[in-house]
Amino acid sequence: MLTQTRTGSLLHQDHMRTIDVLQAIQEMTHRHPSAPAVEGAVRADLERLADTMRAEVERHFGFEENHLFPLFSKQGEMGMVVMLTHEHRAILPLALEAADLAAAALAGGFEETGWRNFRDVAAELVEREIFHIQKEEMGLLAAIAALLDPAADAALSEAYRMAVGGEAGE
Ligand SMILES: [Fe+2]
Ligand SMILES: [Fe+2]
């Protein structure tokens, strides 16, 4: 999709990275009907999941809620802001739970019950978060392009860089 603003393209890059990780986790859980050994590709997928979910919660959601959504509320886009914020509230605990379960498995492996629980949490997270990202990709990025002038875009993408805290991504 076409992203015409710097801010939109930064968010878009985050979205694509997150979808990548979620799809890898989905495929991994489908490949293993019973608890896999936490090594090799399984280990790598869990590490990426733990890292990405914490980053998503701590800075991406935070940036959207603290910097972007207030601008849209001021422009009268309350409906979109309320809907996306509600989705964040539903996804955030799932993302943290998935990250915690992944971290625990990285430290101590999976037992069958723990594996089933992880698969359930991951499946719900994948479904909700991919749907949320698709909505933002369709609505939010277009709204950013329509509502931000170049100066506001520059200020916002700078705020994003500050929120990211110098960690330039992979
Ligand atoms: Fe969001
Ligand atoms: Fe987003």
Side-chain angles (χ1 to χ4, degrees), residues 15 56 60-61 64 69 84 88 132 136:
H15 290 162
E56 175 78 1
H60 184 99
F61 280 21
E64 289 178 343
F69 294 174
L84 295 175
H88 283 184
H132 175 73
E136 288 190 343

Side-chain angles (χ1 to χ4, degrees), residues 2 26 48 51 59 61 90-91 106 115 119 133 142 152 165:
L2 195 68
Q26 188 173 41
R48 281 178 79 207
D51 289 350
R59 66 181 174 82
F61 280 21
I91 292 167
L106 286 164
W115 174 241
R119 280 166 46 122
I133 288 175

Side-chain angles (χ1 to χ4, degrees), residues 18 39 50 123 150:
T18 300
E39 57 193 26

